[in-house]
Amino acid sequence: EEVPPCGRPAGDILVNGTKKAEAATEAWQLPTSGDVGKVSKTNAEESSLQRLEELFRHYKDEQEHAILEEDMQRFCNDLCVDPMEF
């Protein structure tokens, strides 16, 4: 099995950088085609905001209410992206 530069086995990560386990966990929460019309935009927006807040809390500095350089490097490493690319 190929190992990407970040050292994670390729089989654990999908093309968009999402771990397969995370994608499988989130997939059950997605509405089915019959439910799409029932989900309001407000609920979808709230869900997205909650997920963004979770990510922010995960990567923010413990002392500051911000994602600092070291935390951004950790975020990039988790995504298997070289922070020097952009």
Side-chain angles (χ1 to χ4, degrees):
E1 183 171 294
E2 276 185 59
V3 177
C6 66
R8 293 197 178 137
D12 292 341
I13 299 178
L14 301 177
V15 174
N16 66 357
T18 304
K19 294 178 185 176
K20 285 184 180 180
E22 291 173 351
T25 302
E26 292 176 7
W28 70 269
Q29 298 172 348
L30 297 175
T32 61
S33 59
D35 294 337
V36 171
K38 297 177 185 175
V39 176
S40 71
K41 185 175 180 180
T42 304
N43 287 342
E45 288 173 351
E46 284 180 27
S47 178
S48 292
L49 286 174
Q50 288 173 349
R51 182 65 178 134
L52 286 172
E53 288 174 8
E54 288 174 25
L55 286 169
F56 177 77
R57 282 192 301 270
H58 180 75
Y59 289 102
K60 80 176 188 78
D61 185 74
E62 291 179 12
Q63 306 300 318
E64 301 284 333
H65 189 70
I67 297 175
L68 303 179
E69 182 180 353
E70 187 176 294
D71 304 308
M72 186 56 71
Q73 287 178 340
R74 187 168 50 100
F75 176 68
C76 289
N77 289 338
D78 289 348
L79 293 175
C80 292
V81 173
D82 181 4
M84 300 308 290
E85 288 181 10
F86 52 100

